[in-house]
Amino acid sequence: MKYPANRSISIPSTISLILMACSLFPLSGQVKVIPSYTSERSVVNLNEGWKFHQGGTEFAYNRKIVDDTWAVTDLPHTWNSVDPFDDKDGYFRGIGWYRKEIIIPDTLQGKRFHLRFEGANQVADVYVNGMFAGRHQGGYTAFAMDITRFLSTGEEPNLLAVSVSNAHDPFIPPLSVGFALYGGIYRDVELVITEPLHFSMSDKGSSGIYLFTSDVSNQSASLSSRIVICNNFYHQVDAELTIAVRDQNGMVIATQNSSIRVGPEVTEVISTEPLVIEQPMLWSPEHPYLYTVDYVISTADVSLDRLDFPLGIRTIALQPDGGFYLNGKRVFLKGTNRHQDFKGKGSALSNEDHVKDLVNIRKMGSNFVRLAHYPQDPAVLRACDSLGLLVWEEIPLVNYIMPDTRFYENSMEMLQEMIRQHFNHPSVVMWGSMNEIFLWGNNAQRMSVQFDPEYTELVRQLAVNLDSTIRTEDPSRLTAMAIHGSRDYEKYGLTGISDVLGLNIYSGWYSGEFSHFSGTIRKSLMRFPGQAILVSEYGAGSDPYLNAVHPERFDFSVQYQQEFNESYLAQIESLDQLTGVAIWNQFDFSQPWTGGSIPHLNQKGMVSWDRNPKDVYYLYKANWSKEPFIHIASREWQLRTGTRNKKDVLAEQPLKIYTNCTDAELFVNGRTMGSKKPDLTGKALWMVDLEEGINEITAQAISENEKFSDKIEIAVVSLLADLRKMESQDVDIAVNCGSNAQYYKGYDVAWLPDKPFTRGSYGYTGGDRKMLQKDIALTNTDDPALYFQYLEAPESYRFDLPDGNYMVECWVAEPDMRSENRVFEIIPGNAPPIQVITRSRNPLSVEGNIIRLKVGASNGNGITIKFRPVDGLPLLSAIRVRAVPGKQPVT
Ligand code: GCB
């Protein structure tokens, strides 16, 4: 077949893939009739049936604006569940309106009505019946508004209208982050109805009650409380306050009654006398014993308000040996970080979703979780209490600050809200104020060194103020701050402020080697002797579809993530003075504006974004959990490829297991490969030969005389050592150019790792292996993993194939930020060159493209695709050669 000379293929930078942005249905909104009740408080969930409109609309709070065309949605809801991940730049950051009607029966006249939002990101303006009820700034904490005076009872519905904006606001943290700032009312909404005398709903979104334990021992503990009571009566009230502590069987084990007097229309703060609990069961990760404490205010035996809280009795302390002590015993913090988003849902998770995440963390064997980088859903804190997870919770001061009073005030407000709202959770042991605050500079740009002394001093002052606010608000807990590997923190006085110094360390990922980790920690232990040193982040990304026999830094192979974490775990063993560690991250999470093998995703999770545990999950489980198991690793690598040896097997294939049992044995197709004792990290590795076709792999191990086993199948489709001996109609060879990793995504073909050409085989001549910059996202492809590593300036790509006709696909993406054309030629065999023009008009995303050519092989010469620069170096991300079906003369 003849090809016209100098064909030109131009690769545009337009984006073709448009994903549907929302899953909203054109149903009608529901009017909620609030049920009648007689005394105490009633909490009515308002999650169902809101009308939603994306965009700013004038007078949307006014009933006159008809919302018939608005979508209907239930809460939790975000308008960004899809768009941060599509092929279009950015995601919607602006206003969304929510409306809902409620009917309040006349029987509820005289009550107080509080609208409570667990979280709306990030500025919410609330209107009731057209009247402005209040604004809340900050997307990660709860807020409540007393809306009584705007409501009417009777049959007329009341209109609740909320405008929420997630537009960038220079005065509201976070300013720049590596995660999506999903907009919307993404947590639960409730109408809380109280008597005029009630536990305050207006103390920074908290419950109005704060529990303190003191003098804790196995013999006894004292509980005292700080109670904020609000009296909306026009008269003074004399009331009774009853506190009752119940054990897990519901038995009341301690009570206290006191008389209180609250003046007309005031909010009073009451501190109670210590209530002694004899022989308390102490709370710990192994035994998260929770009492319940009931608080009741009553007058003349009619109870007016009632709240109950879980009570975990425990002590915490740091000792100079670096130890974190719980109930007087040293506990190494075996932890992980958690972001709150989920594939397809964004940040709008149900309480059940949240709980599942925490169960997943606990089952891995963790006793500690850092809720990075913001306060999380109340369901998360409740789960941590009952599962026995120790918590570091923090406010979203990430990367840089705005040196402005409004920013400081918002930061302080968020900090107080977080502390007061989550004060009664025994799981919380430390409050964090800042994360990597010197990663970016005053100019809102990432920088390696801070140089503006005025700015750095303002950051220090803010850090000191936040830290001392934590100590004032909650002297019973520790203060924490996380920093990255820069000397600036020391130089500008940020180290030494908090009790716990969190180090975010990525040796072996962003730089250096993973073996440097323990050295860095040892130096830090010496440099910061007054602080407890905790590794607040460490991690490496992986993609289940990329697997390598010889993994390399940044290749996103499953095996690199395994080796990185195995090494860190082994090094942690030797660091006696380390307080604890927190893996980055438990779950893959959104990271708009990033590349990698899956664009817009941070792939360092132990668990994928749709919540499938990766191998490393089992590595940690082998180390941290006592629940016996065995796990064969790399199970998504279901089709392996490579060049078979003379014995017709794919030789030296790694098969790894993780287990906390002893004496693991591996079987391949029923034959034993021998028993091994797992090493200190719970790993055992066999190098085995795999046969063409399906291989059955079984692993078993023993724990206390019980056998545990795991089984997988691995298919092998390998290449003949001499490709020239293949039948030409069988040829289908695909190569992941520039990468040492195989790529298999479950469909027709496994992509081979790249290599230099050798006789009888395949490979490149000339060129360098390169990687896309990590902030460039790939578009226009279902296989971004094939593009992010590539060959630059290859001279040729050769396949020693038998004579025949072949279809060749050359996969190409422009990696550089060039607005001018890059021109190069692809020369298929002896045919005329094809001119390829690439350009990238967009600095943040590049398109993947496939150029298809027909090439004939004749006279035993195989095929050679040559590359020639014209204006810029040639590129090749992947190449696939397939037989052209049917018998044809070689062209
Ligand atoms: C960090 C940041 C975290 C990022 C992480 C990463 O140091 O604190 O927000 O997601 O690195 O994976 O780059």
Side-chain angles (χ1 to χ4, degrees):
M1 188 185 284
K2 290 270 181 276
Y3 289 84
N6 290 327
R7 286 158 300 148
S8 209
I9 298 179
S10 161
I11 299 179
S13 67
T14 46
I15 297 155
S16 58
L17 186 63
I18 298 171
L19 296 175
M20 292 291 292
C22 234
S23 59
L24 304 169
F25 308 101
L27 303 170
S28 66
Q30 290 166 13
V31 180
K32 177 93 181 178
V33 181
I34 305 300
S36 224
Y37 77 103
T38 47
S39 71
E40 297 176 348
R41 74 169 60 194
S42 152
V43 179
V44 183
N45 181 289
L46 290 186
N47 280 358
E48 269 177 34
W50 287 73
K51 286 289 191 100
F52 172 70
H53 171 75
Q54 189 165 323
T57 295
E58 214 172 8
F59 305 122
Y61 49 82
N62 192 319
R63 191 176 288 286
K64 280 190 215 140
I65 299 294
V66 179
D67 59 14
D68 290 357
T69 56
W70 292 23
V72 173
T73 185
D74 290 342
L75 307 179
H77 170 259
T78 172
W79 54 76
N80 297 121
S81 57
V82 175
D83 65 353
F85 315 100
D86 64 18
D87 267 3
K88 284 187 265 167
D89 283 345
Y91 56 101
F92 182 80
R93 292 197 59 186
I95 291 177
W97 275 96
Y98 295 85
R99 300 208 322 189
K100 176 157 188 70
E101 289 181 313
I102 54 172
I103 292 176
I104 299 179
D106 283 332
T107 48
L108 292 180
Q109 253 181 28
K111 308 266 184 196
R112 303 301 297 190
F113 299 86
H114 315 261
L115 195 54
R116 187 166 197 276
F117 296 78
E118 286 186 351
N121 199 25
Q122 73 174 352
V123 176
D125 286 332
V126 179
Y127 299 83
V128 179
N129 292 327
M131 290 165 277
F132 180 64
R135 162 174 289 199
H136 181 260
Q137 304 195 117
Y140 303 99
T141 40
F143 54 99
M145 289 169 188
D146 184 335
I147 57 169
T148 314
R149 71 192 171 94
F150 307 113
L151 291 172
S152 58
T153 57
E155 279 163 25
E156 269 306 295
N158 294 277
L159 179 66
L160 309 178
V162 188
S163 104
V164 180
S165 168
N166 67 337
H168 178 77
D169 187 320
F171 305 121
I172 304 178
L175 299 177
S176 105
V177 284
F179 53 93
L181 287 169
Y182 300 99
I185 307 180
Y186 72 101
R187 291 184 187 163
D188 300 335
V189 175
E190 297 165 341
L191 184 68
V192 181
I193 310 165
T194 64
E195 296 296 328
L197 186 81
H198 55 270
F199 298 116
S200 173
M201 298 278 302
S202 56
D203 193 24
K204 311 251 178 231
S206 77
S207 62
I209 297 183
Y210 306 93
L211 280 64
F212 300 83
T213 49
S214 56
D215 304 321
V216 174
S217 71
N218 287 323
Q219 276 67 52
S220 69
S222 294
L223 168 71
S224 37
S225 320
R226 187 169 164 270
I227 303 175
V228 189
I229 297 181
C230 174
N231 182 12
N232 288 124
F233 285 118
Y234 293 119
H235 54 83
Q236 169 185 299
V237 181
D238 288 318
E240 181 97 354
L241 172 72
T242 309
I243 303 175
V245 182
R246 284 182 284 130
D247 67 13
Q248 277 191 348
N249 300 320
M251 291 282 292
V252 174
I253 55 152
T255 53
Q256 190 179 57
N257 288 318
S258 39
S259 299
I260 53 169
R261 171 167 291 181
V262 193
E265 290 189 86
V266 292
T267 297
E268 297 257 359
V269 181
I270 293 164
S271 294
T272 65
E273 291 300 316
L275 171 60
V276 176
I277 299 164
E278 302 291 351
Q279 292 176 331
M281 303 287 284
L282 300 189
W283 183 97
S284 68
E286 296 70 39
H287 193 220
Y289 192 93
L290 292 175
Y291 294 90
T292 304
V293 192
D294 299 322
Y295 290 81
V296 181
I297 337 176
S298 51
T299 46
D301 284 342
V302 176
S303 59
L304 299 177
D305 202 3
R306 174 190 294 269
L307 279 177
D308 59 58
F309 299 92
L311 169 70
I313 301 175
R314 45 113 186 102
T315 61
I316 57 169
L318 289 174
Q319 295 293 347
D321 61 1
F324 172 86
Y325 283 74
L326 184 76
N327 303 327
K329 274 200 246 128
R330 184 167 182 174
V331 175
F332 185 74
L333 300 177
K334 296 180 279 192
T336 185
N337 283 269
R338 189 227 180 205
H339 261 300
Q340 67 181 5
D341 56 352
F342 192 108
K343 187 174 184 179
K345 298 189 178 192
S347 58
L349 271 65
S350 66
N351 287 348
E352 293 72 37
D353 293 330
H354 286 297
V355 173
K356 274 190 208 151
D357 275 4
L358 277 301
V359 170
N360 172 286
I361 290 172
R362 188 73 182 108
K363 279 185 126 349
M364 191 176 80
S366 297
N367 58 18
F368 174 61
V369 60
R370 174 175 174 229
L371 302 178
H373 289 306
Y374 39 79
Q376 298 197 5
D377 196 284
V380 170
L381 280 300
R382 287 196 295 268
C384 292
D385 290 344
S386 55
L387 290 164
L389 278 163
L390 299 156
V391 172
W392 159 334
E393 192 169 33
E394 65 191 22
I395 51 167
L397 254 73
V398 182
N399 296 358
Y400 76 108
I401 71 158
M402 176 60 58
D404 184 285
T405 319
R406 283 161 287 184
F407 183 87
Y408 308 151
E409 282 169 3
N410 282 328
S411 308
M412 208 57 86
E413 181 73 13
M414 278 178 197
L415 185 68
Q416 289 177 321
E417 286 179 343
M418 172 180 76
I419 296 174
R420 293 193 197 179
Q421 290 171 19
H422 296 163
F423 194 90
N424 295 336
H425 292 285
S427 51
V428 178
V429 293
M430 53 188 90
W431 302 115
S433 57
M434 289 179 164
N435 178 69
E436 300 193 352
I437 210 68
F438 281 144
L439 195 67
W440 290 36
N442 196 10
N443 56 356
Q445 295 274 321
R446 194 179 170 134
M447 24 205 299
S448 47
V449 185
Q450 301 288 326
F451 56 83
D452 177 349
E454 203 178 315
Y455 174 72
T456 52
E457 175 53 17
L458 290 170
V459 176
R460 192 193 65 78
Q461 284 172 16
L462 179 58
V464 169
N465 288 341
L466 292 172
D467 191 85
S468 59
T469 300
I470 301 176
R471 292 174 196 274
T472 317
E473 287 279 327
D474 186 1
S476 72
R477 290 181 170 104
L478 305 169
T479 68
M481 177 194 290
I483 65 172
H484 75 289
S486 155
R487 291 270 168 160
D488 288 339
Y489 297 93
E490 236 176 313
K491 190 164 160 199
Y492 299 115
L494 263 75
T495 53
I497 295 175
S498 55
D499 298 320
V500 176
L501 186 64
L503 308 181
N504 297 348
I505 299 182
Y506 288 91
S507 303
W509 186 249
Y510 292 124
S511 62
E513 291 177 22
F514 42 68
S515 57
H516 297 163
F517 165 70
S518 51
T520 309
I521 299 292
R522 281 200 182 90
K523 279 187 214 138
S524 303
L525 285 164
M526 269 155 32
R527 267 168 45 209
F528 312 115
Q531 284 177 293
I533 301 295
L534 189 148
V535 181
S536 36
E537 292 180 24
Y538 66 99
S542 76
D543 180 329
Y545 305 126
L546 287 168
N547 288 278
V549 176
H550 304 291
E552 287 174 352
R553 181 166 86 88
F554 247 56
D555 64 4
F556 285 92
S557 70
V558 165
Q559 292 68 24
Y560 189 80
Q561 191 187 36
Q562 293 171 7
E563 291 182 13
F564 177 100
N565 284 283
E566 287 161 13
S567 167
Y568 270 61
L569 265 172
Q571 293 176 72
I572 287 165
E573 282 294 304
S574 69
L575 296 164
D576 296 343
Q577 279 175 283
L578 191 62
T579 304
V581 294
I583 308 158
W584 190 258
N585 194 286
Q586 186 69 10
F587 306 101
D588 287 354
F589 62 91
S590 70
Q591 193 167 359
W593 313 111
T594 22
S597 74
I598 310 174
H600 311 299
L601 203 67
N602 189 307
Q603 299 168 237
K604 300 191 186 76
M606 301 291 104
V607 177
S608 71
W609 201 31
D610 52 2
R611 303 311 193 245
N612 278 319
K614 303 183 190 176
D615 293 331
V616 279
Y617 181 90
Y618 296 97
L619 167 66
Y620 283 94
K621 187 169 174 175
N623 284 272
W624 291 353
S625 162
K626 292 200 168 70
E627 186 190 335
F629 76 97
I630 184 163
H631 167 85
I632 305 174
S634 311
R635 48 212 306 138
E636 262 91 13
W637 197 5
Q638 289 157 357
L639 179 61
R640 294 198 186 191
T641 187
T643 301
R644 68 182 83 152
N645 68 8
K646 289 193 186 110
K647 291 186 196 148
D648 270 350
V649 292
L650 197 55
E652 292 288 292
Q653 289 300 302
L655 279 178
K656 189 188 272 183
I657 59 103
Y658 293 124
T659 184
N660 47 10
C661 306
T662 53
D663 299 312
E665 188 171 5
L666 187 83
F667 300 86
V668 176
N669 296 324
R671 283 192 309 279
T672 179
M673 299 291 116
S675 287
K676 290 198 176 191
K677 288 232 173 294
D679 71 6
L680 276 181
T681 62
K683 170 195 83 188
L685 177 73
W686 289 259
M687 298 304 279
V688 303
D689 293 348
L690 295 178
E691 285 162 17
E692 199 67 5
I694 304 289
N695 293 264
E696 272 200 359
I697 315 293
T698 314
Q700 58 189 36
I702 296 163
S703 170
E704 290 174 5
N705 298 328
E706 210 186 326
K707 258 192 194 158
F708 293 85
S709 63
D710 191 17
K711 194 173 171 179
I712 60 165
E713 283 186 352
I714 299 177
V716 169
V717 178
S718 59
L719 300 183
L720 292 182
D722 188 347
L723 298 180
R724 290 167 296 194
K725 295 193 177 141
M726 285 182 84
E727 295 294 337
S728 67
Q729 69 268 21
D730 293 342
V731 169
D732 185 353
I733 303 174
V735 188
N736 182 10
C737 297
S739 172
N740 59 324
Q742 293 190 20
Y743 176 66
Y744 174 65
K745 203 177 173 181
Y747 49 82
D748 63 340
V749 74
W751 296 72
L752 291 150
D754 206 4
K755 67 181 187 68
F757 174 75
T758 47
R759 195 103 196 102
S761 181
Y762 71 93
Y764 58 88
T765 57
D768 291 319
R769 291 173 52 191
K770 286 274 170 87
M771 191 173 295
L772 278 185
Q773 285 172 39
K774 81 174 174 62
D775 49 359
I776 301 176
L778 276 152
T779 62
N780 192 35
T781 176
D782 290 333
D783 298 290
L786 283 176
Y787 289 99
F788 88 96
Q789 288 184 289
Y790 62 97
L791 281 175
E792 186 183 70
E795 281 159 25
S796 68
Y797 216 97
R798 290 185 61 179
F799 295 86
D800 260 356
L801 293 175
D803 290 357
N805 286 321
Y806 299 101
M807 177 63 75
V808 178
E809 288 175 0
C810 292
W811 297 44
V812 172
E814 171 56 57
D816 289 339
M817 299 306 98
R818 31 195 306 146
S819 49
E820 68 280 16
N821 290 344
R822 173 199 296 265
V823 186
F824 64 93
E825 287 177 342
I826 299 183
I827 308 157
N830 297 324
I834 294 170
Q835 197 173 70
V836 179
I837 302 173
T838 65
R839 61 184 168 271
S840 161
R841 289 198 206 97
N842 184 342
L844 295 163
S845 61
V846 300
E847 278 203 341
N849 289 276
I850 303 175
I851 298 151
R852 294 188 170 83
L853 332 153
K854 262 190 176 176
V855 189
S858 56
N859 304 325
N861 289 329
I863 64 172
T864 302
I865 315 292
K866 291 202 188 104
F867 297 84
R868 195 156 60 204
V870 176
D871 186 3
L873 300 172
L875 305 166
L876 187 63
S877 301
I879 191 164
R880 183 172 182 180
V881 185
R882 270 181 276 193
V884 174
K887 284 225 176 293
Q888 297 169 14
V890 174
T891 54

